[in-house]
Amino acid sequence: VSAVGLGCWALGGEHWGDDVDPEEGKAAVRAALEAGVTLFDTAPLYGAGRADRLLREALGPHLREVVVATKVGARMEGAHAISDLSPAHVRADVEASLRRLGVERLDLLQAHWPCERGTPLADTMEALVRLREEGKVRHLGLCNHGPEAIEAWADALAVAQAPLSLIRREGLSDVVPAARRGGVGVLAYEPLARGLLSGKFRALPRFPESDMRRRDPRFWASRFGQLAPSVGRLRAMAARVGVPPAALAVAWVASRPGVTAALVGAKRPAQVRENVQASRLLARPDAATLLDAVGTRF
Ligand SMILES: NC(=O)c1ccc[n+]([C@@H]2O[C@H](COP(=O)([O-])OP(=O)(O)OC[C@H]3O[C@@H](n4cnc5c(N)ncnc54)[C@H](OP(=O)(O)O)[C@@H]3O)[C@@H](O)[C@H]2O)c1
């Protein structure tokens, strides 16, 4: 897969404010495809299936040429999302994803979060492996699981998915080393810290009620203020290298040893076109030195 993948959470149209336009979203997917992106990450939870439908419509026949990573387990219960990884829910969720995406087999199926309904991971993994044996799923992954789970199930897993960005680096000392030891790939999510590392918020942003960033402490005055000098340095480093700050932030994530791809979200094609410039940086002969320096100076 490409080192930059498109994250489709915002494209579901929920939790990301009032400016998510499905036509712009489809154009964003097509822009990613045109730029050589071959990895698209979705989930049943993203807009209750809307992200899947948008992806299917925007990719058309290309859906079978790329890798569509999806998830299983998280569902709404009243106003709250919960994780149910019971074998019965796993199977029902997978059948619904197959129908929405219009495929006979899912390329990559990842448990979205650890189960909150008491199902032991061993029972979930057994159900997932059975679905793979039946040919409904090609590869398996775990999101938001700790290093112990990843190492314990490494033989069955293609990937582990975890958060990773210049301001959230814990993954480099737990999930990434565990995945490397087990020969498991890593998909790093939220590489822009929900847009913060694009450098576009010059002042404290005010999000509408419909945008979860309103409740995210990184966008509250004190943490935002603490991060501002680092984001300023990122902007300056990006200007020197000649790429948008978002591309530099994404390239730093994608270049960490053990990371297979950075999953970066976008609402419109212009954002995608900025973010995929990370690939250009990753191809430079001095990429490792350059990006290590970005991580140190940030
Ligand atoms: N497994 C999990 O539990 C899990 C959890 C989180 C995410 N993920 C996956 O990882 C993907 C990426 O994470 P994320 O979408 O949460 O966060 P992200 O990639 O850090 O940020 C994406 C957001 O930043 C803004 N943005 C993107 N490119 C930009 C640019 N060039 N300039 C300015 N703003 C830009 C857009 O929002 P605005 O335009 O509104 O600012 C966009 O929706 C998700 O879409 C999802 O596929 C998985």
Side-chain angles (χ1 to χ4, degrees), residues 7-10 16 41 46 71 112 143-144 161 189-195 198 200 213 246 263-265 267-268 271 274-275:
C8 299
W9 186 5
W16 283 90
D41 181 72
Y46 298 167
K71 313 193 184 78
H112 204 151
C143 307
N144 304 306
Q161 194 181 131
Y189 75 69
E190 212 183 73
L192 292 182
R194 297 184 170 167
S198 71
K200 70 179 167 186
R213 286 173 289 188
L263 300 173
V264 54
K267 290 176 172 170
R268 41 194 140 265
Q271 291 180 337
E274 284 198 3
N275 303 339

PDB file of all heavy atoms in Angstrom, residues 7-10 16 41 46 71 112 143-144 161 189-195 198 200 213 246 263-265 267-268 271 274-275, ligand 1:
ATOM      1  N   GLY A   7      -7.773   8.531   5.353  1.00  0.00           N
ATOM      2  CA  GLY A   7      -8.698   8.203   6.441  1.00  0.00           C
ATOM      3  C   GLY A   7     -10.067   8.799   6.115  1.00  0.00           C
ATOM      4  O   GLY A   7     -10.161   9.963   5.741  1.00  0.00           O
ATOM      5  N   CYS A   8     -11.106   7.994   6.267  1.00  0.00           N
ATOM      6  CA  CYS A   8     -12.433   8.420   5.780  1.00  0.00           C
ATOM      7  C   CYS A   8     -13.415   8.767   6.901  1.00  0.00           C
ATOM      8  O   CYS A   8     -14.619   8.865   6.657  1.00  0.00           O
ATOM      9  CB  CYS A   8     -13.014   7.324   4.887  1.00  0.00           C
ATOM     10  SG  CYS A   8     -11.983   7.029   3.444  1.00  0.00           S
ATOM     11  N   TRP A   9     -12.901   8.973   8.104  1.00  0.00           N
ATOM     12  CA  TRP A   9     -13.811   9.256   9.215  1.00  0.00           C
ATOM     13  C   TRP A   9     -14.650  10.513   8.947  1.00  0.00           C
ATOM     14  O   TRP A   9     -15.886  10.480   9.000  1.00  0.00           O
ATOM     15  CB  TRP A   9     -13.002   9.406  10.512  1.00  0.00           C
ATOM     16  CG  TRP A   9     -13.832   9.552  11.745  1.00  0.00           C
ATOM     17  CD1 TRP A   9     -15.205   9.468  11.838  1.00  0.00           C
ATOM     18  CD2 TRP A   9     -13.365   9.791  13.079  1.00  0.00           C
ATOM     19  NE1 TRP A   9     -15.598   9.633  13.146  1.00  0.00           N
ATOM     20  CE2 TRP A   9     -14.491   9.837  13.922  1.00  0.00           C
ATOM     21  CE3 TRP A   9     -12.094   9.969  13.631  1.00  0.00           C
ATOM     22  CZ2 TRP A   9     -14.378  10.059  15.304  1.00  0.00           C
ATOM     23  CZ3 TRP A   9     -11.988  10.186  15.000  1.00  0.00           C
ATOM     24  CH2 TRP A   9     -13.129  10.228  15.828  1.00  0.00           C
ATOM     25  N   ALA A  10     -13.973  11.618   8.637  1.00  0.00           N
ATOM     26  CA  ALA A  10     -14.708  12.879   8.443  1.00  0.00           C
ATOM     27  C   ALA A  10     -15.719  12.759   7.292  1.00  0.00           C
ATOM     28  O   ALA A  10     -16.769  13.415   7.305  1.00  0.00           O
ATOM     29  CB  ALA A  10     -13.734  14.023   8.184  1.00  0.00           C
ATOM     30  N   TRP A  16     -17.479  15.955  12.831  1.00  0.00           N
ATOM     31  CA  TRP A  16     -16.438  16.801  12.243  1.00  0.00           C
ATOM     32  C   TRP A  16     -16.994  18.143  11.769  1.00  0.00           C
ATOM     33  O   TRP A  16     -16.509  18.700  10.786  1.00  0.00           O
ATOM     34  CB  TRP A  16     -15.752  16.065  11.083  1.00  0.00           C
ATOM     35  CG  TRP A  16     -14.772  15.022  11.545  1.00  0.00           C
ATOM     36  CD1 TRP A  16     -15.030  13.708  11.790  1.00  0.00           C
ATOM     37  CD2 TRP A  16     -13.373  15.207  11.828  1.00  0.00           C
ATOM     38  NE1 TRP A  16     -13.893  13.066  12.196  1.00  0.00           N
ATOM     39  CE2 TRP A  16     -12.862  13.958  12.227  1.00  0.00           C
ATOM     40  CE3 TRP A  16     -12.514  16.300  11.775  1.00  0.00           C
ATOM     41  CZ2 TRP A  16     -11.523  13.781  12.583  1.00  0.00           C
ATOM     42  CZ3 TRP A  16     -11.182  16.118  12.120  1.00  0.00           C
ATOM     43  CH2 TRP A  16     -10.702  14.869  12.523  1.00  0.00           C
ATOM     44  N   ASP A  41      -9.076   4.000   4.579  1.00  0.00           N
ATOM     45  CA  ASP A  41      -9.482   3.432   5.872  1.00  0.00           C
ATOM     46  C   ASP A  41     -10.869   3.933   6.262  1.00  0.00           C
ATOM     47  O   ASP A  41     -11.096   5.132   6.407  1.00  0.00           O
ATOM     48  CB  ASP A  41      -8.458   3.849   6.943  1.00  0.00           C
ATOM     49  CG  ASP A  41      -8.794   3.267   8.303  1.00  0.00           C
ATOM     50  OD1 ASP A  41      -8.630   2.041   8.486  1.00  0.00           O
ATOM     51  OD2 ASP A  41      -9.233   4.026   9.186  1.00  0.00           O
ATOM     52  N   TYR A  46     -18.342   5.220  10.915  1.00  0.00           N
ATOM     53  CA  TYR A  46     -18.144   6.539  10.317  1.00  0.00           C
ATOM     54  C   TYR A  46     -19.403   6.975   9.566  1.00  0.00           C
ATOM     55  O   TYR A  46     -19.642   6.588   8.413  1.00  0.00           O
ATOM     56  CB  TYR A  46     -16.918   6.555   9.386  1.00  0.00           C
ATOM     57  CG  TYR A  46     -15.606   6.253  10.095  1.00  0.00           C
ATOM     58  CD1 TYR A  46     -14.449   5.956   9.385  1.00  0.00           C
ATOM     59  CD2 TYR A  46     -15.512   6.265  11.484  1.00  0.00           C
ATOM     60  CE1 TYR A  46     -13.241   5.682  10.030  1.00  0.00           C
ATOM     61  CE2 TYR A  46     -14.317   5.982  12.136  1.00  0.00           C
ATOM     62  CZ  TYR A  46     -13.195   5.685  11.406  1.00  0.00           C
ATOM     63  OH  TYR A  46     -12.002   5.405  12.046  1.00  0.00           O
ATOM     64  N   LYS A  71     -13.363  -1.788   9.661  1.00  0.00           N
ATOM     65  CA  LYS A  71     -13.259  -2.194  11.065  1.00  0.00           C
ATOM     66  C   LYS A  71     -14.511  -2.943  11.475  1.00  0.00           C
ATOM     67  O   LYS A  71     -15.469  -3.051  10.704  1.00  0.00           O
ATOM     68  CB  LYS A  71     -13.038  -0.962  11.949  1.00  0.00           C
ATOM     69  CG  LYS A  71     -11.964  -0.050  11.395  1.00  0.00           C
ATOM     70  CD  LYS A  71     -11.480   0.990  12.337  1.00  0.00           C
ATOM     71  CE  LYS A  71     -10.489   1.895  11.631  1.00  0.00           C
ATOM     72  NZ  LYS A  71     -11.115   2.892  10.746  1.00  0.00           N
ATOM     73  N   HIS A 112     -12.163  -2.579  15.994  1.00  0.00           N
ATOM     74  CA  HIS A 112     -12.059  -1.117  16.133  1.00  0.00           C
ATOM     75  C   HIS A 112     -11.498  -0.690  17.501  1.00  0.00           C
ATOM     76  O   HIS A 112     -10.634   0.177  17.577  1.00  0.00           O
ATOM     77  CB  HIS A 112     -13.440  -0.496  15.885  1.00  0.00           C
ATOM     78  CG  HIS A 112     -13.398   0.934  15.433  1.00  0.00           C
ATOM     79  ND1 HIS A 112     -14.362   1.494  14.636  1.00  0.00           N
ATOM     80  CD2 HIS A 112     -12.507   1.930  15.666  1.00  0.00           C
ATOM     81  CE1 HIS A 112     -14.067   2.763  14.397  1.00  0.00           C
ATOM     82  NE2 HIS A 112     -12.944   3.051  15.013  1.00  0.00           N
ATOM     83  N   CYS A 143      -7.082  -2.511  16.144  1.00  0.00           N
ATOM     84  CA  CYS A 143      -6.862  -1.087  16.427  1.00  0.00           C
ATOM     85  C   CYS A 143      -6.956  -0.872  17.941  1.00  0.00           C
ATOM     86  O   CYS A 143      -7.791  -1.502  18.602  1.00  0.00           O
ATOM     87  CB  CYS A 143      -7.968  -0.205  15.858  1.00  0.00           C
ATOM     88  SG  CYS A 143      -8.336  -0.389  14.142  1.00  0.00           S
ATOM     89  N   ASN A 144      -6.175   0.048  18.431  1.00  0.00           N
ATOM     90  CA  ASN A 144      -6.294   0.511  19.819  1.00  0.00           C
ATOM     91  C   ASN A 144      -6.119  -0.612  20.840  1.00  0.00           C
ATOM     92  O   ASN A 144      -6.700  -0.554  21.926  1.00  0.00           O
ATOM     93  CB  ASN A 144      -7.654   1.217  20.034  1.00  0.00           C
ATOM     94  CG  ASN A 144      -7.835   2.366  19.060  1.00  0.00           C
ATOM     95  OD1 ASN A 144      -6.984   3.242  18.973  1.00  0.00           O
ATOM     96  ND2 ASN A 144      -8.921   2.355  18.305  1.00  0.00           N
ATOM     97  N   GLN A 161      -3.315  -0.954  14.376  1.00  0.00           N
ATOM     98  CA  GLN A 161      -3.571   0.460  14.082  1.00  0.00           C
ATOM     99  C   GLN A 161      -3.551   1.239  15.393  1.00  0.00           C
ATOM    100  O   GLN A 161      -4.172   0.832  16.377  1.00  0.00           O
ATOM    101  CB  GLN A 161      -4.933   0.611  13.376  1.00  0.00           C
ATOM    102  CG  GLN A 161      -5.091   1.986  12.766  1.00  0.00           C
ATOM    103  CD  GLN A 161      -6.415   2.250  12.056  1.00  0.00           C
ATOM    104  OE1 GLN A 161      -7.048   3.270  12.314  1.00  0.00           O
ATOM    105  NE2 GLN A 161      -6.805   1.364  11.159  1.00  0.00           N
ATOM    106  N   TYR A 189      -2.698   6.341  12.859  1.00  0.00           N
ATOM    107  CA  TYR A 189      -3.827   7.250  12.611  1.00  0.00           C
ATOM    108  C   TYR A 189      -3.649   8.592  13.295  1.00  0.00           C
ATOM    109  O   TYR A 189      -2.819   8.740  14.180  1.00  0.00           O
ATOM    110  CB  TYR A 189      -5.165   6.579  12.936  1.00  0.00           C
ATOM    111  CG  TYR A 189      -5.574   6.384  14.389  1.00  0.00           C
ATOM    112  CD1 TYR A 189      -5.909   7.462  15.215  1.00  0.00           C
ATOM    113  CD2 TYR A 189      -5.701   5.111  14.913  1.00  0.00           C
ATOM    114  CE1 TYR A 189      -6.346   7.277  16.514  1.00  0.00           C
ATOM    115  CE2 TYR A 189      -6.144   4.897  16.218  1.00  0.00           C
ATOM    116  CZ  TYR A 189      -6.461   6.000  17.016  1.00  0.00           C
ATOM    117  OH  TYR A 189      -6.896   5.805  18.301  1.00  0.00           O
ATOM    118  N   GLU A 190      -4.444   9.561  12.832  1.00  0.00           N
ATOM    119  CA  GLU A 190      -4.465  10.935  13.356  1.00  0.00           C
ATOM    120  C   GLU A 190      -3.096  11.620  13.272  1.00  0.00           C
ATOM    121  O   GLU A 190      -2.632  12.228  14.241  1.00  0.00           O
ATOM    122  CB  GLU A 190      -4.940  10.885  14.820  1.00  0.00           C
ATOM    123  CG  GLU A 190      -5.716  12.073  15.255  1.00  0.00           C
ATOM    124  CD  GLU A 190      -6.079  11.981  16.742  1.00  0.00           C
ATOM    125  OE1 GLU A 190      -5.207  12.149  17.605  1.00  0.00           O
ATOM    126  OE2 GLU A 190      -7.255  11.733  17.026  1.00  0.00           O
ATOM    127  N   PRO A 191      -2.415  11.517  12.128  1.00  0.00           N
ATOM    128  CA  PRO A 191      -1.061  12.089  12.028  1.00  0.00           C
ATOM    129  C   PRO A 191      -1.046  13.618  12.079  1.00  0.00           C
ATOM    130  O   PRO A 191      -0.001  14.216  12.342  1.00  0.00           O
ATOM    131  CB  PRO A 191      -0.565  11.591  10.662  1.00  0.00           C
ATOM    132  CG  PRO A 191      -1.808  11.347   9.869  1.00  0.00           C
ATOM    133  CD  PRO A 191      -2.837  10.875  10.865  1.00  0.00           C
ATOM    134  N   LEU A 192      -2.222  14.232  11.849  1.00  0.00           N
ATOM    135  CA  LEU A 192      -2.289  15.703  11.906  1.00  0.00           C
ATOM    136  C   LEU A 192      -2.870  16.190  13.226  1.00  0.00           C
ATOM    137  O   LEU A 192      -3.175  17.387  13.355  1.00  0.00           O
ATOM    138  CB  LEU A 192      -3.158  16.240  10.755  1.00  0.00           C
ATOM    139  CG  LEU A 192      -2.589  16.075   9.342  1.00  0.00           C
ATOM    140  CD1 LEU A 192      -3.544  16.693   8.316  1.00  0.00           C
ATOM    141  CD2 LEU A 192      -1.213  16.728   9.239  1.00  0.00           C
ATOM    142  N   ALA A 193      -3.054  15.285  14.190  1.00  0.00           N
ATOM    143  CA  ALA A 193      -3.699  15.679  15.445  1.00  0.00           C
ATOM    144  C   ALA A 193      -4.991  16.449  15.139  1.00  0.00           C
ATOM    145  O   ALA A 193      -5.213  17.545  15.649  1.00  0.00           O
ATOM    146  CB  ALA A 193      -2.751  16.481  16.328  1.00  0.00           C
ATOM    147  N   ARG A 194      -5.798  15.822  14.300  1.00  0.00           N
ATOM    148  CA  ARG A 194      -7.110  16.380  13.910  1.00  0.00           C
ATOM    149  C   ARG A 194      -7.009  17.766  13.281  1.00  0.00           C
ATOM    150  O   ARG A 194      -7.819  18.646  13.549  1.00  0.00           O
ATOM    151  CB  ARG A 194      -8.061  16.399  15.104  1.00  0.00           C
ATOM    152  CG  ARG A 194      -8.369  15.002  15.617  1.00  0.00           C
ATOM    153  CD  ARG A 194      -9.373  15.004  16.739  1.00  0.00           C
ATOM    154  NE  ARG A 194      -9.823  13.655  17.053  1.00  0.00           N
ATOM    155  CZ  ARG A 194     -10.504  13.316  18.136  1.00  0.00           C
ATOM    156  NH1 ARG A 194     -10.833  14.236  19.017  1.00  0.00           N
ATOM    157  NH2 ARG A 194     -10.880  12.072  18.328  1.00  0.00           N
ATOM    158  N   GLY A 195      -5.977  17.960  12.498  1.00  0.00           N
ATOM    159  CA  GLY A 195      -5.839  19.224  11.756  1.00  0.00           C
ATOM    160  C   GLY A 195      -4.893  20.210  12.401  1.00  0.00           C
ATOM    161  O   GLY A 195      -4.397  21.130  11.754  1.00  0.00           O
ATOM    162  N   SER A 198      -1.626  20.825  10.683  1.00  0.00           N
ATOM    163  CA  SER A 198      -1.614  21.437   9.354  1.00  0.00           C
ATOM    164  C   SER A 198      -1.089  22.866   9.476  1.00  0.00           C
ATOM    165  O   SER A 198      -0.783  23.508   8.480  1.00  0.00           O
ATOM    166  CB  SER A 198      -3.028  21.465   8.759  1.00  0.00           C
ATOM    167  OG  SER A 198      -3.815  22.420   9.453  1.00  0.00           O
ATOM    168  N   LYS A 200      -2.807  25.398  10.295  1.00  0.00           N
ATOM    169  CA  LYS A 200      -3.775  26.420   9.824  1.00  0.00           C
ATOM    170  C   LYS A 200      -4.434  27.196  10.957  1.00  0.00           C
ATOM    171  O   LYS A 200      -5.004  28.257  10.711  1.00  0.00           O
ATOM    172  CB  LYS A 200      -4.855  25.758   8.971  1.00  0.00           C
ATOM    173  CG  LYS A 200      -5.812  24.864   9.743  1.00  0.00           C
ATOM    174  CD  LYS A 200      -6.857  24.270   8.816  1.00  0.00           C
ATOM    175  CE  LYS A 200      -7.607  23.152   9.506  1.00  0.00           C
ATOM    176  NZ  LYS A 200      -8.526  22.467   8.616  1.00  0.00           N
ATOM    177  N   ARG A 213     -13.950  18.270  18.133  1.00  0.00           N
ATOM    178  CA  ARG A 213     -12.750  18.985  18.567  1.00  0.00           C
ATOM    179  C   ARG A 213     -13.084  20.044  19.616  1.00  0.00           C
ATOM    180  O   ARG A 213     -12.204  20.491  20.340  1.00  0.00           O
ATOM    181  CB  ARG A 213     -12.046  19.609  17.355  1.00  0.00           C
ATOM    182  CG  ARG A 213     -11.345  18.553  16.517  1.00  0.00           C
ATOM    183  CD  ARG A 213     -10.781  19.094  15.240  1.00  0.00           C
ATOM    184  NE  ARG A 213     -11.824  19.432  14.291  1.00  0.00           N
ATOM    185  CZ  ARG A 213     -11.597  19.794  13.031  1.00  0.00           C
ATOM    186  NH1 ARG A 213     -10.348  19.885  12.593  1.00  0.00           N
ATOM    187  NH2 ARG A 213     -12.597  20.075  12.214  1.00  0.00           N
ATOM    188  N   ALA A 246       1.372  20.260   6.763  1.00  0.00           N
ATOM    189  CA  ALA A 246       0.669  18.977   6.903  1.00  0.00           C
ATOM    190  C   ALA A 246       1.494  17.849   6.286  1.00  0.00           C
ATOM    191  O   ALA A 246       1.597  16.757   6.851  1.00  0.00           O
ATOM    192  CB  ALA A 246      -0.713  19.053   6.245  1.00  0.00           C
ATOM    193  N   LEU A 263      -2.350   7.144   8.108  1.00  0.00           N
ATOM    194  CA  LEU A 263      -3.725   7.345   7.641  1.00  0.00           C
ATOM    195  C   LEU A 263      -4.093   8.770   7.954  1.00  0.00           C
ATOM    196  O   LEU A 263      -4.201   9.151   9.128  1.00  0.00           O
ATOM    197  CB  LEU A 263      -4.674   6.408   8.397  1.00  0.00           C
ATOM    198  CG  LEU A 263      -4.406   4.912   8.269  1.00  0.00           C
ATOM    199  CD1 LEU A 263      -5.326   4.127   9.200  1.00  0.00           C
ATOM    200  CD2 LEU A 263      -4.603   4.468   6.818  1.00  0.00           C
ATOM    201  N   VAL A 264      -4.279   9.572   6.926  1.00  0.00           N
ATOM    202  CA  VAL A 264      -4.587  10.983   7.171  1.00  0.00           C
ATOM    203  C   VAL A 264      -5.969  11.315   6.623  1.00  0.00           C
ATOM    204  O   VAL A 264      -6.310  10.958   5.499  1.00  0.00           O
ATOM    205  CB  VAL A 264      -3.452  11.906   6.634  1.00  0.00           C
ATOM    206  CG1 VAL A 264      -3.144  11.637   5.195  1.00  0.00           C
ATOM    207  CG2 VAL A 264      -3.785  13.379   6.829  1.00  0.00           C
ATOM    208  N   GLY A 265      -6.750  11.973   7.458  1.00  0.00           N
ATOM    209  CA  GLY A 265      -8.123  12.326   7.076  1.00  0.00           C
ATOM    210  C   GLY A 265      -8.149  13.600   6.256  1.00  0.00           C
ATOM    211  O   GLY A 265      -7.224  14.415   6.319  1.00  0.00           O
ATOM    212  N   LYS A 267     -11.270  16.399   4.176  1.00  0.00           N
ATOM    213  CA  LYS A 267     -12.659  16.640   3.771  1.00  0.00           C
ATOM    214  C   LYS A 267     -12.761  17.057   2.313  1.00  0.00           C
ATOM    215  O   LYS A 267     -13.834  17.029   1.744  1.00  0.00           O
ATOM    216  CB  LYS A 267     -13.247  17.766   4.626  1.00  0.00           C
ATOM    217  CG  LYS A 267     -13.479  17.396   6.071  1.00  0.00           C
ATOM    218  CD  LYS A 267     -13.965  18.626   6.831  1.00  0.00           C
ATOM    219  CE  LYS A 267     -14.392  18.267   8.235  1.00  0.00           C
ATOM    220  NZ  LYS A 267     -14.633  19.482   9.038  1.00  0.00           N
ATOM    221  N   ARG A 268     -11.652  17.549   1.761  1.00  0.00           N
ATOM    222  CA  ARG A 268     -11.727  18.063   0.383  1.00  0.00           C
ATOM    223  C   ARG A 268     -10.422  17.798  -0.368  1.00  0.00           C
ATOM    224  O   ARG A 268      -9.381  17.561   0.241  1.00  0.00           O
ATOM    225  CB  ARG A 268     -12.089  19.545   0.374  1.00  0.00           C
ATOM    226  CG  ARG A 268     -11.415  20.360   1.409  1.00  0.00           C
ATOM    227  CD  ARG A 268     -12.013  21.744   1.605  1.00  0.00           C
ATOM    228  NE  ARG A 268     -12.033  22.075   3.025  1.00  0.00           N
ATOM    229  CZ  ARG A 268     -13.081  21.875   3.813  1.00  0.00           C
ATOM    230  NH1 ARG A 268     -14.200  21.368   3.334  1.00  0.00           N
ATOM    231  NH2 ARG A 268     -13.012  22.172   5.100  1.00  0.00           N
ATOM    232  N   GLN A 271      -7.014  19.497   0.477  1.00  0.00           N
ATOM    233  CA  GLN A 271      -6.314  18.949   1.652  1.00  0.00           C
ATOM    234  C   GLN A 271      -5.546  17.681   1.252  1.00  0.00           C
ATOM    235  O   GLN A 271      -4.397  17.485   1.637  1.00  0.00           O
ATOM    236  CB  GLN A 271      -7.317  18.628   2.760  1.00  0.00           C
ATOM    237  CG  GLN A 271      -7.938  19.871   3.383  1.00  0.00           C
ATOM    238  CD  GLN A 271      -8.932  19.551   4.494  1.00  0.00           C
ATOM    239  OE1 GLN A 271      -9.488  18.451   4.552  1.00  0.00           O
ATOM    240  NE2 GLN A 271      -9.175  20.511   5.363  1.00  0.00           N
ATOM    241  N   GLU A 274      -2.397  18.472  -0.547  1.00  0.00           N
ATOM    242  CA  GLU A 274      -1.306  18.898   0.359  1.00  0.00           C
ATOM    243  C   GLU A 274      -0.702  17.688   1.069  1.00  0.00           C
ATOM    244  O   GLU A 274       0.510  17.515   1.113  1.00  0.00           O
ATOM    245  CB  GLU A 274      -1.860  19.859   1.423  1.00  0.00           C
ATOM    246  CG  GLU A 274      -2.115  21.247   0.904  1.00  0.00           C
ATOM    247  CD  GLU A 274      -2.233  22.272   2.025  1.00  0.00           C
ATOM    248  OE1 GLU A 274      -2.065  21.937   3.225  1.00  0.00           O
ATOM    249  OE2 GLU A 274      -2.505  23.426   1.703  1.00  0.00           O
ATOM    250  N   ASN A 275      -1.569  16.849   1.599  1.00  0.00           N
ATOM    251  CA  ASN A 275      -1.089  15.749   2.450  1.00  0.00           C
ATOM    252  C   ASN A 275      -0.238  14.734   1.683  1.00  0.00           C
ATOM    253  O   ASN A 275       0.731  14.203   2.218  1.00  0.00           O
ATOM    254  CB  ASN A 275      -2.274  15.062   3.134  1.00  0.00           C
ATOM    255  CG  ASN A 275      -3.086  16.057   3.959  1.00  0.00           C
ATOM    256  OD1 ASN A 275      -2.576  17.115   4.320  1.00  0.00           O
ATOM    257  ND2 ASN A 275      -4.332  15.735   4.244  1.00  0.00           N
TER     258      ASN A 275
HETATM  259  N1  LIG B   1      -8.935   3.064  14.628  1.00  0.00           N
HETATM  260  C1  LIG B   1      -9.327   4.138  15.254  1.00  0.00           C
HETATM  261  O1  LIG B   1      -9.842   4.083  16.375  1.00  0.00           O
HETATM  262  C2  LIG B   1      -9.157   5.478  14.593  1.00  0.00           C
HETATM  263  C3  LIG B   1      -9.289   6.648  15.356  1.00  0.00           C
HETATM  264  C4  LIG B   1      -9.087   7.864  14.704  1.00  0.00           C
HETATM  265  C5  LIG B   1      -8.799   7.888  13.353  1.00  0.00           C
HETATM  266  N2  LIG B   1      -8.711   6.730  12.646  1.00  0.00           N
HETATM  267  C6  LIG B   1      -8.436   6.723  11.196  1.00  0.00           C
HETATM  268  O2  LIG B   1      -7.365   7.590  10.912  1.00  0.00           O
HETATM  269  C7  LIG B   1      -7.782   8.617   9.998  1.00  0.00           C
HETATM  270  C8  LIG B   1      -7.034   9.896  10.254  1.00  0.00           C
HETATM  271  O3  LIG B   1      -7.316  10.438  11.533  1.00  0.00           O
HETATM  272  P1  LIG B   1      -8.282  11.680  11.732  1.00  0.00           P
HETATM  273  O4  LIG B   1      -9.027  11.895  10.453  1.00  0.00           O
HETATM  274  O5  LIG B   1      -9.033  11.457  12.983  1.00  0.00           O
HETATM  275  O6  LIG B   1      -7.278  12.877  12.030  1.00  0.00           O
HETATM  276  P2  LIG B   1      -6.153  13.620  11.170  1.00  0.00           P
HETATM  277  O7  LIG B   1      -5.797  12.836   9.979  1.00  0.00           O
HETATM  278  O8  LIG B   1      -5.074  13.972  12.129  1.00  0.00           O
HETATM  279  O9  LIG B   1      -6.900  14.991  10.759  1.00  0.00           O
HETATM  280  C9  LIG B   1      -7.816  15.023   9.729  1.00  0.00           C
HETATM  281  C10 LIG B   1      -8.509  16.386   9.663  1.00  0.00           C
HETATM  282  O10 LIG B   1      -7.568  17.440   9.577  1.00  0.00           O
HETATM  283  C11 LIG B   1      -8.020  18.453   8.669  1.00  0.00           C
HETATM  284  N3  LIG B   1      -7.060  18.472   7.544  1.00  0.00           N
HETATM  285  C12 LIG B   1      -6.609  17.418   6.811  1.00  0.00           C
HETATM  286  N4  LIG B   1      -5.698  17.796   5.906  1.00  0.00           N
HETATM  287  C13 LIG B   1      -5.534  19.120   6.057  1.00  0.00           C
HETATM  288  C14 LIG B   1      -4.720  20.067   5.396  1.00  0.00           C
HETATM  289  N5  LIG B   1      -3.876  19.731   4.435  1.00  0.00           N
HETATM  290  N6  LIG B   1      -4.823  21.365   5.793  1.00  0.00           N
HETATM  291  C15 LIG B   1      -5.669  21.717   6.777  1.00  0.00           C
HETATM  292  N7  LIG B   1      -6.468  20.860   7.438  1.00  0.00           N
HETATM  293  C16 LIG B   1      -6.401  19.560   7.093  1.00  0.00           C
HETATM  294  C17 LIG B   1      -9.411  18.039   8.204  1.00  0.00           C
HETATM  295  O11 LIG B   1     -10.411  18.575   9.107  1.00  0.00           O
HETATM  296  P3  LIG B   1     -10.899  20.138   9.067  1.00  0.00           P
HETATM  297  O12 LIG B   1     -10.827  20.594   7.657  1.00  0.00           O
HETATM  298  O13 LIG B   1     -12.254  20.108   9.641  1.00  0.00           O
HETATM  299  O14 LIG B   1      -9.923  20.874   9.981  1.00  0.00           O
HETATM  300  C18 LIG B   1      -9.375  16.538   8.420  1.00  0.00           C
HETATM  301  O15 LIG B   1     -10.641  15.956   8.584  1.00  0.00           O
HETATM  302  C19 LIG B   1      -9.301   8.688  10.218  1.00  0.00           C
HETATM  303  O16 LIG B   1      -9.955   9.336   9.141  1.00  0.00           O
HETATM  304  C20 LIG B   1      -9.624   7.223  10.365  1.00  0.00           C
HETATM  305  O17 LIG B   1      -9.639   6.593   9.108  1.00  0.00           O
HETATM  306  C21 LIG B   1      -8.862   5.529  13.256  1.00  0.00           C
END
